[in-house]
Amino acid sequence: MTLKEYLKLHDLRPEDFADIAGVSKGGVYKWMNGERYPRLPSMIKIAKATDGAVLPNDFQAEQIQSS
């Protein structure tokens, strides 16, 4: 599941998710739009904050699909 899908499914704003996960708000927007991909420490925080619904492999799959 992509981060964008997760936020929509759980009716979360990117700003709120950033606070929950302990990551930057700007980073969340860039990750959602495919402008950047989170580094491993941020990916771990995302996985924990989403209870495993969004995993590091999901970012890699998204990157492959957009190529």
Side-chain angles (χ1 to χ4, degrees):
M1 169 180 289
T2 67
L3 181 56
K4 193 176 215 176
E5 292 168 339
Y6 179 86
L7 297 183
K8 186 174 182 176
L9 180 66
H10 292 279
D11 197 29
L12 283 170
R13 296 179 316 152
E15 300 89 359
D16 297 331
F17 180 76
D19 291 338
I20 291 166
V23 295
S24 74
K25 294 173 181 131
V28 173
Y29 280 107
K30 289 177 182 178
W31 302 331
M32 287 177 54
N33 294 324
E35 294 174 33
R36 296 187 84 193
Y37 294 94
R39 293 184 178 176
L40 186 57
S42 294
M43 286 185 186
I44 292 168
K45 290 179 180 181
I46 293 166
K48 286 181 181 179
T50 63
D51 291 324
V54 181
L55 298 171
N57 286 343
D58 296 323
F59 289 99
Q60 292 174 347
E62 187 177 342
Q63 186 177 16
I64 291 168
Q65 290 174 355
S66 66
S67 314

